[in-house]
Amino acid sequence: MMIRFTKAHACGNDFLIVDEADAKGDHAQIARYLCERNTGVGADGVEFLERKADGELSLRLFNADGSEAELSGNGTRCVAAWLAYSERIQQVVLGTHGGPRSCRVLQQDDDEFLIATEMGVPVVTPHSVDVEGVGVVQGADVNVGNPHFVIFTEDAEFRSYGLGWQELGAKICVHPAFPHGTNVEFVRVISPVEIAFRIYERGVGPTTSSGTGTCASAAASIALRGCAHELEATSLGGAQQVMWQGGDAVMHLTGPARVICVGEAGVAGAAKL
């Protein structure tokens, strides 16, 4: 079975966009097939775009391992970029399992976009987790429509508690304290207006960037480390800008997205599932 897709990325965090009408079969199976880097198209996840009769647009996100997630900030932005590119839509509200997200195109240069997104109201709660073989890890739970655990570190390589961030992230991501798993960020506060972070993403592993991870890292830095309400957050894939006044205010995320290609890919047996 052939499935049509669009591929886009935001700071290297790449997604496939598939129209819900074309998704014949099991979404988890389709995501695993398409996201495979060596035998599929390759991506961190698939955004299934549903166009409802009343004109509403909604998304279902499946990670590369086939697990379903509440939403992706970068994935949502990639869908907004595709709609701007293909349908000239400059502002759109996209429904997600983490709540609606409003996206607005600020700049466009052919297939490259700068997009501002309303990311909801973050909830930051200090939390410690006892990790076997490591000990008690101090951090913060941050909910930005999906779950995150933020750890602060001063190490230039983002090492924490004697481990590399990838190793510790893998342990915490599936820790029993998080029955549905969690995304894990390792954050360095560089100045009151700048942070750097690394992300171990639930259902994917280490990624170059994460929109919700950017928001979670910024929210924890503002709430717990006294950072400014407007700051720049930089991951391996580049920088994004975050604005949050704290409390019940909505967080705003601004970052790039680029449409890479469109095509068709075979998903063996998907229609039979």
Side-chain angles (χ1 to χ4, degrees), residues 100-121:
R101 295 294 182 263
S102 177
C103 301
R104 179 166 56 94
V105 175
L106 302 179
Q107 297 176 17
Q108 177 178 354
D109 182 8
D110 192 19
D111 57 2
E112 297 185 1
F113 299 83
L114 183 67
I115 296 175
T117 306
E118 293 183 356
M119 292 296 293
V121 180

Side-chain angles (χ1 to χ4, degrees), residues 121-130 137-152 172-173 175-179 181-185 212-213 215-221 223-224 244:
V121 180
V123 178
V124 182
T125 307
H127 184 201
S128 61
V129 178
D130 192 354
V137 176
Q138 301 288 340
D141 291 332
V142 184
N143 191 303
V144 288
N146 62 349
H148 295 261
F149 185 76
V150 175
I151 300 168
F152 289 99
I172 294 176
C173 181
H175 192 280
F178 308 104
T182 190
N183 302 286
V184 187
E185 284 80 34
T212 58
C215 290
S217 299
S221 299
L224 304 177
W244 184 44

Side-chain angles (χ1 to χ4, degrees), residues 18-224:
V18 173
D19 198 296
E20 181 67 34
D22 294 332
K24 309 299 184 185
D26 183 86
H27 288 58
Q29 181 79 339
I30 292 171
R32 285 192 293 269
Y33 265 93
L34 293 183
C35 290
E36 230 298 321
R37 297 283 178 186
N38 295 313
T39 58
V41 180
D44 291 326
V46 178
E47 293 278 10
F48 291 94
L49 173 62
E50 182 179 4
R51 303 169 185 265
K52 299 184 178 179
D54 60 2
E56 180 182 348
L57 300 174
S58 64
L59 301 174
R60 289 182 69 187
L61 168 63
F62 283 78
N63 294 316
D65 69 351
S67 60
E68 187 171 8
E70 297 85 356
L71 81 159
S72 163
N74 283 349
T76 300
R77 195 162 75 241
C78 285
V79 174
W82 169 239
L83 292 171
Y85 183 81
S86 62
E87 302 177 32
R88 301 183 183 278
I89 296 174
Q90 297 296 298
Q91 187 161 346
V92 65
V93 176
L94 295 167
T96 77
H97 288 333
R101 295 294 182 263
S102 177
C103 301
R104 179 166 56 94
V105 175
L106 302 179
Q107 297 176 17
Q108 177 178 354
D109 182 8
D110 192 19
D111 57 2
E112 297 185 1
F113 299 83
L114 183 67
I115 296 175
T117 306
E118 293 183 356
M119 292 296 293
V121 180
V123 178
V124 182
T125 307
H127 184 201
S128 61
V129 178
D130 192 354
V131 180
E132 185 177 356
V134 179
V136 176
V137 176
Q138 301 288 340
D141 291 332
V142 184
N143 191 303
V144 288
N146 62 349
H148 295 261
F149 185 76
V150 175
I151 300 168
F152 289 99
T153 178
E154 296 181 2
D155 185 83
E157 300 299 324
F158 298 89
R159 291 179 59 83
S160 189
Y161 294 87
L163 297 176
W165 64 270
Q166 299 96 328
E167 185 178 356
L168 184 55
K171 292 177 179 292
I172 294 176
C173 181
V174 295
H175 192 280
F178 308 104
H180 303 291
T182 190
N183 302 286
V184 187
E185 284 80 34
F186 298 82
V187 178
R188 276 200 306 129
V189 176
I190 297 172
S191 77
V193 295
E194 184 180 3
I195 63 173
F197 74 99
R198 297 292 182 265
I199 165 76
Y200 192 96
E201 190 168 349
R202 176 184 59 172
V204 182
T207 57
T208 62
S209 180
S210 166
T212 58
T214 299
C215 290
S217 299
S221 299
I222 293 168
L224 304 177

